[in-house]
Amino acid sequence: MDRRKSLKSIVLGSVAGGLAIHGCRPEPTVPEVGAQEVPMLKWRTPKENEQLAELHAEQFFNPHEAETLTVLCDLILPGSEEYKSASDADVVSFIEFMAKDMPTMQVDLRGGLMWLDHRSNLDHGVEFKGATEAQRKAILDTVAYYDPEVPGNERPFEVNFFSMVRNLTMTGFYTSKIGIEELGYKGNMPNVWDGVPDDVLEQHGVSYDPEWLAKCVDQSKRNIVAEWDENGNL
């Protein structure tokens, strides 16, 4: 199983996900993050629409941070001929929203991006986004793996930062339209129910009332909305 399929299997169980080792695009598209107009959606309460508008009116990541994060997310989930990349799903905008919705993430996210540039400058004399793909991966190899026996609060800051961004990247991608399409998830689908099988009914010594069956297990009426009288009768 390749890495993308392996991590995708985690997504199916918990919302996290994968990578097909093809590298990120040389010049990933950097989304515009921060202030943007949010439509007032009727299925949200007025308070929810108001809170979303307030969040989208703010801006957390500056342009340099957004560019660096785009490069990082595309290293975590790169595109290929078969798969879309993190930036194709505008994952950075998702992380921007999460950082504003959960301010406790902000110090770790901003500090982690600063660490990437600091480490890249020390090792290669260039900011992380300006490093080569091999140089970037060499840096990430030092933080991408950790001992699960070591509690999170005892791990190095940069290790926890990368783990957070990896989880946010997978969550953002696989809850997007293109990510859901990649998983092949179709959501709740109508099915056909013909009642409890006869052998099971017989085993328990019970049976359906013919009148009830005619009303409830008649597939020719499956698209008719059920109605009850004032006494609760179907």
Side-chain angles (χ1 to χ4, degrees), residues 29-48:
T29 300
V30 179
E32 293 184 5
V33 296
Q36 51 189 288
E37 186 175 344
V38 182
M40 299 294 104
L41 301 176
K42 62 182 180 181
W43 56 83
R44 295 187 181 126
T45 65
K47 183 63 175 177
E48 288 173 332

Side-chain angles (χ1 to χ4, degrees), residues 32-93:
E32 293 184 5
V33 296
Q36 51 189 288
E37 186 175 344
V38 182
M40 299 294 104
L41 301 176
K42 62 182 180 181
W43 56 83
R44 295 187 181 126
T45 65
K47 183 63 175 177
E48 288 173 332
N49 276 316
E50 181 183 337
Q51 290 174 334
L52 284 173
E54 290 176 357
L55 287 176
H56 283 285
E58 303 170 4
Q59 181 171 341
F60 176 64
F61 293 121
N62 62 41
H64 174 78
E65 290 168 334
E67 291 168 9
T68 303
L69 189 56
T70 299
V71 170
L72 175 57
C73 292
D74 272 355
L75 280 164
I76 293 171
L77 193 67
S80 68
E81 292 182 1
E82 183 178 1
Y83 297 112
K84 298 292 187 179
S85 67
S87 57
D88 288 324
D90 198 8
V91 164
V92 171
S93 287

